């Protein structure tokens, strides 16, 4: 019986919905395959349990592979700034991972198992975790044996870079969006004012939060024409320090001003389940952000977007900023009030670009992405076994 593992090994639960639905569909559709979901934190295990509730009687085995105590202590000392926990899990439980025929992961750190386990390493399958545009999302995937690609944007760019091999990938869409997109739109505030969702990234070189964040919150605190949801990337407040992949010195994560937490028209959420289950991207009226791929979850239903170019990036002809063509781009805080004031009026000229960007990002179809992923994994393993 083939044995397939689905590993969750991150600092937060934001990657769960990008892979685990496929595990449950695989178990449901292929009874001759043993499926094991491995969580590395209690929070991940809880998120998996919520998905399992939709598959009563599932044969999926769920287990916890906790990090070694020394890795946990080191992470506390460094404010989770490094990858100690993730590498600690992979090393400490390497015999468990050796027992699988294939291991599906939404992260890239797990590829170190190929070096540590050598010929005994299972086939490594990458599920991705979103469909952003920055170069980092496309790098480091060439070592995987099989890729579950969200849409043609990733397919075309990875083929052009030589990181995709025919027969070693499948385009499946988005498990997360398929799971949530038909859910009723949540009501975030008990009033009729438009709601702005501000989702700054954690990367200190590109994020708007480190220099502009506090003034933005203060602007909305004094402007009662809007509601504001401040729900940054969940990793922003999981780490005390952040190091940019673009270079530069580490930056201390700035605190959220207490005045913003107390404002009646501002909802501050730095890491609840609502940050990762599309509650805010479904419920908001206007998107305000910088380089987070969450904008693509927002664009499943076209609405106004405003992007904050705090880093003064030359974005117009860069594939890394493809999504900035779906809304207004402001280069200074002084330009933000005007952009907000005309957001609804300007939306008409961005609608078609938003639809195109979303369709390029996610190859949605009448068949759920989790089903397509399960079928693709089994087909790939059958081919590999036959070779």
């Amino acid at each position: 019986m083939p044995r397939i593992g689905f590993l969750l090994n991150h600092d937060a639960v934001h990657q769960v919905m990008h892979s685990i639905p496929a595990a449950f569909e695989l178990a449901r559709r292929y009874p001759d395959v043993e499926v094991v979901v491995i969580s590395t934190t209690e929070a991940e295990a809880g998120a998996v349990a919520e998905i399992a509730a939709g598959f009563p009687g599932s044969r999926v085995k769920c287990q916890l592979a906790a990090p070694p105590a020394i890795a946990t202590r080191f992470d506390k000392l460094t404010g989770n700034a490094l990858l100690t926990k993730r590498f600690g899990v992979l090393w400490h439980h390497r015999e468990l991972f050796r027992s699988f025929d294939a291991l599906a992961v939404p992260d890239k750190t797990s590829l170190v198992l190929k070096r540590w386990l050598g010929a005994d390493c299972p086939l490594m399958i990458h599920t991705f975790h979103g469909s952003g545009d920055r170069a980092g999302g496309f790098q480091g995937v060439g070592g995987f044996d099989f890729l579950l690609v969200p849409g043609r944007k990733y397919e075309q760019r990875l083929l052009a870079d030589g990181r995709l091999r025919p027969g070693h990938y499948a385009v499946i869409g988005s498990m997360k969006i398929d799971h949530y997109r038909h859910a009723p739109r949540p009501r975030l505030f008990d009033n009729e004012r438009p709601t702005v969702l501000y989702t700054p990234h954690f990367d200190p070189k590109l994020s708007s939060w480190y220099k502009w964040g506090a003034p933005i919150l203060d602007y909305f605190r004094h402007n009662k024409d809007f509601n504001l949801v401040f729900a940054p990337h969940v990793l922003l407040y999981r780490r005390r320090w952040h190091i940019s992949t673009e270079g530069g010195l580490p930056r201390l994560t700035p605190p959220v001003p207490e005045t913003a937490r107390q404002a009646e028209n501002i909802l501050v959420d730095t890491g609840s389940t609502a940050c990762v289950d599309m509650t805010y991207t479904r419920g908001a009226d206007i998107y305000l952000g910088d380089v987070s791929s969450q904008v693509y979850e927002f664009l499943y239903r076209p609405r106004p977007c405003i992007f904050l170019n705090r880093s003064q990036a030359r974005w117009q002809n860069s594939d890394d900023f493809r999504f900035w063509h779906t809304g207004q781009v402001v280069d200074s805080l002084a330009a933000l009030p005007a952009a907000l004031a005309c957001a609804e009026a300007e939306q008409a000229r961005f609608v078609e670009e938003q639809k195109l960007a979303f369709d390029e990002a996610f190859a949605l179809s009448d068949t759920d992405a989790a089903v397509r992923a399960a079928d693709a994994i089994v087909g790939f393993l059958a081919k590999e076994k036959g070779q």
Side-chain angles (χ1 to χ4, degrees):
M1 174 183 286
R3 180 172 156 87
I4 302 176
F6 284 75
L7 172 63
L8 298 167
N9 186 20
H10 214 289
D11 308 319
V13 300
H14 60 298
Q15 296 187 353
V16 174
M17 283 305 304
H18 295 289
S19 65
I20 300 308
F24 285 90
E25 286 292 356
L26 202 157
R28 178 161 63 182
R29 294 170 66 80
Y30 298 94
D32 59 336
V33 176
E34 181 182 1
V35 181
V36 182
V37 172
I38 307 109
S39 302
T40 58
T41 66
E42 294 289 351
E44 288 172 338
V48 171
E50 291 182 13
I51 298 172
F55 296 84
S58 174
R59 298 179 303 102
V60 172
K61 298 177 182 177
C62 298
Q63 67 182 84
L64 185 68
I70 190 171
T72 301
R73 288 196 296 270
F74 192 79
D75 274 348
K76 287 182 179 179
L77 287 172
T78 61
N80 297 307
L82 304 177
L83 303 181
T84 315
K85 175 258 186 184
R86 286 187 243 173
F87 284 117
V89 163
L90 295 170
W91 179 259
H92 192 65
H93 298 283
R94 61 194 183 281
E95 292 306 314
L96 167 64
F97 303 133
R98 193 195 305 270
S99 70
F100 293 104
D101 296 291
L103 191 64
V105 299
D107 71 282
K108 300 172 188 174
T109 312
S110 300
L111 266 183
V112 73
L113 290 173
K114 284 209 162 192
R115 186 164 71 248
W116 289 351
L117 299 181
D120 292 333
C121 185
L123 292 168
M124 297 297 292
I125 300 170
H126 187 42
T127 68
F128 291 91
H129 54 272
S131 186
D133 295 313
R134 291 174 59 214
F138 300 84
Q139 295 168 351
V141 301
F144 285 97
D145 299 290
F146 195 69
L147 298 171
L148 296 171
V149 180
R152 67 175 182 270
K153 173 181 69 178
Y154 263 62
E155 180 184 27
Q156 292 171 355
R157 192 162 167 181
L158 289 170
L159 282 171
D161 292 345
R163 295 188 176 102
L164 281 185
R165 295 174 290 158
H168 289 262
Y169 75 94
V171 180
I172 64 158
S174 169
M175 291 181 241
K176 181 177 182 178
I177 289 179
D178 278 346
H179 188 83
Y180 291 119
R181 64 180 166 140
H182 297 304
R185 186 180 181 187
R187 185 177 175 84
L188 303 177
F189 290 86
D190 191 21
N191 61 58
E192 300 306 316
R193 293 179 296 212
T195 295
V196 178
L197 171 61
Y198 178 36
T199 63
H201 199 265
F202 58 84
D203 187 300
K205 191 164 185 177
L206 299 173
S207 173
S208 58
W209 175 242
Y210 297 83
K211 289 187 177 180
W212 290 3
I216 287 173
L217 295 187
D218 202 51
Y219 169 79
F220 282 100
R221 182 170 69 90
H222 290 100
N223 186 339
K224 301 302 172 66
D225 292 334
F226 297 95
N227 303 310
L228 177 73
V229 175
F230 172 58
H233 192 294
V234 290
L235 291 184
L236 181 62
Y237 282 94
R238 289 290 297 172
R239 299 170 182 167
R240 193 161 62 243
W241 294 85
H242 287 279
I243 303 170
S244 175
T245 58
E246 305 284 330
L249 296 173
R251 291 290 300 272
L252 183 67
T253 305
V256 180
E258 191 59 33
T259 51
R261 294 185 183 276
Q262 295 175 358
E264 58 87 18
N265 66 325
I266 297 179
L267 189 164
V268 174
D269 188 343
T270 58
S272 80
T273 301
C275 293
V276 297
D277 69 2
M278 293 182 64
T279 292
Y280 301 135
T281 51
R282 284 185 289 119
D285 302 293
I286 300 172
Y287 181 90
L288 179 65
D290 35 61
V291 296
S292 173
S293 65
Q294 288 182 79
V295 66
Y296 282 106
E297 297 176 11
F298 182 84
L299 288 178
Y300 88 96
R301 184 167 58 84
R303 284 159 289 171
C305 297
I306 301 172
F307 301 102
L308 300 163
N309 187 13
R310 196 277 305 163
S311 63
Q312 301 300 302
R314 297 180 179 178
W315 59 274
Q316 289 85 349
N317 298 309
S318 171
D319 288 340
D320 291 354
F321 292 89
R322 165 72 180 85
F323 56 105
W324 279 15
H325 292 273
T326 65
Q328 301 179 75
V329 178
V330 298
D331 297 319
S332 69
L333 277 178
L336 179 57
L340 285 166
C342 69
E344 291 294 340
E346 287 284 287
Q347 172 60 7
R349 71 185 180 97
F350 292 110
V351 169
E352 293 307 315
E353 190 66 34
Q354 290 178 352
K355 291 178 180 177
L356 176 62
F358 182 86
D359 289 343
E360 289 176 347
F362 302 117
L364 304 189
S365 79
D366 293 335
T367 304
D368 277 359
V371 172
R372 297 160 74 184
D375 291 347
I377 290 171
V378 169
F380 171 68
L381 291 182
K383 180 178 72 71
E384 288 294 298
K385 188 175 179 180
Q387 288 181 348

